[in-house]
Amino acid sequence: MSSKVNIKGILKAHISTLYDAKSAKVDDDEKKLDPWDVFWFFIFPGVVVTFLFLFIDLKHDKIINAISISLSIFVGLLLNLLVLISAQLKKETRESLKQKNPSITDKDLELQLKKNYLIKELYSNISYSIIIAVLSLVVVFIGYILSEIYIPGISIKASLIPNFLVYYLYLNLLLTLFMILKRTYLILESEFK
């Protein structure tokens, strides 16, 4: 795959944000994945969507239509947010912050480092969300094509698998948006203190 469209780095950066923030330090490069975060962001959506498909008769066409409209809006909004966040990104180290402001206290220094790290993580989460939203729209399109194809001998609609994927990706996206909202709140809250 061309390096221009390779998204592995974005996916790795997003997954690396799923760590236990209480036990990790800002300078720690080897943060451990939090099993609960992995559960909530990757396993829980699969369980919920499986339950929906097995026990609830959904009107997929209307739901998929609403999801695709909201995903289109999310992509535009997230791209704008990504531009705003990129303006806030600063590659500052402990030493560069002390050099800029020699009278900075250790507490303020730690707060600034945490804020900068949180902005970097937020950038990764927003980038991941854009990928998920675009991928979901592609799956919606594939599902639409499959729903128009009749396959003899198959009693289920061929679009059920894409529909399952769209619901899963959409729930994953919603959970990630809550994480983005919380991180944005924490960054802005630190500005008001």
Side-chain angles (χ1 to χ4, degrees):
M1 179 183 286
S2 171
S3 63
K4 290 179 176 66
V5 293
N6 190 343
I7 59 170
K8 277 195 291 189
I10 296 171
L11 298 177
K12 281 183 183 179
H14 170 72
I15 290 171
S16 74
T17 68
L18 303 177
Y19 62 90
D20 182 11
K22 292 177 184 150
S23 65
K25 294 184 175 147
V26 174
D27 299 337
D28 189 7
D29 289 334
E30 295 296 320
K31 295 180 175 95
K32 303 269 191 245
L33 279 180
D34 183 3
W36 282 109
D37 282 351
V38 172
F39 170 79
W40 284 112
F41 286 94
F42 297 107
I43 298 169
F44 177 72
V47 170
V48 169
V49 173
T50 301
F51 176 81
L52 288 174
F53 269 69
L54 292 177
F55 300 110
I56 299 174
D57 184 27
L58 299 171
K59 304 292 182 224
H60 296 293
D61 295 340
K62 291 182 179 182
I63 295 171
I64 294 296
N65 187 32
I67 287 174
S68 61
I69 290 168
S70 65
L71 286 171
S72 300
I73 294 168
F74 277 142
V75 168
L77 292 173
L78 289 169
L79 283 170
N80 283 323
L81 186 58
L82 194 63
V83 170
L84 290 172
I85 291 297
S86 67
Q88 299 297 314
L89 279 174
K90 297 173 188 141
K91 179 79 172 151
E92 294 180 315
T93 62
R94 208 175 280 282
E95 293 75 29
S96 68
L97 285 170
K98 280 189 174 184
Q99 195 173 29
K100 278 184 190 174
N101 185 1
S103 63
I104 193 169
T105 65
D106 286 342
K107 182 180 176 184
D108 289 340
L109 181 66
E110 283 301 314
L111 282 174
Q112 187 60 43
L113 287 171
K114 283 182 183 177
K115 178 184 166 196
N116 291 347
Y117 197 79
L118 206 54
I119 290 171
K120 180 183 168 215
E121 288 183 345
L122 186 59
Y123 187 79
S124 299
N125 298 143
I126 294 168
S127 300
Y128 171 81
S129 295
I130 293 169
I131 289 170
I132 293 301
V134 170
L135 181 62
S136 297
L137 287 170
V138 169
V139 174
V140 165
F141 182 69
I142 292 169
Y144 176 75
I145 291 170
L146 290 176
S147 70
E148 298 298 314
I149 298 172
Y150 173 73
I151 304 171
I154 296 180
S155 61
I156 62 167
K157 289 176 80 174
S159 63
L160 281 181
I161 293 172
N163 287 349
F164 182 91
L165 278 173
V166 168
Y167 292 155
Y168 174 84
L169 292 171
Y170 193 69
L171 189 52
N172 177 271
L173 176 66
L174 289 176
L175 292 170
T176 305
L177 287 175
F178 282 125
M179 181 169 55
I180 289 169
L181 179 64
K182 172 133 188 238
R183 288 185 170 169
T184 304
Y185 174 81
L186 290 174
I187 290 167
L188 292 176
E189 183 184 45
S190 72
E191 289 294 319
F192 297 128
K193 288 184 179 180

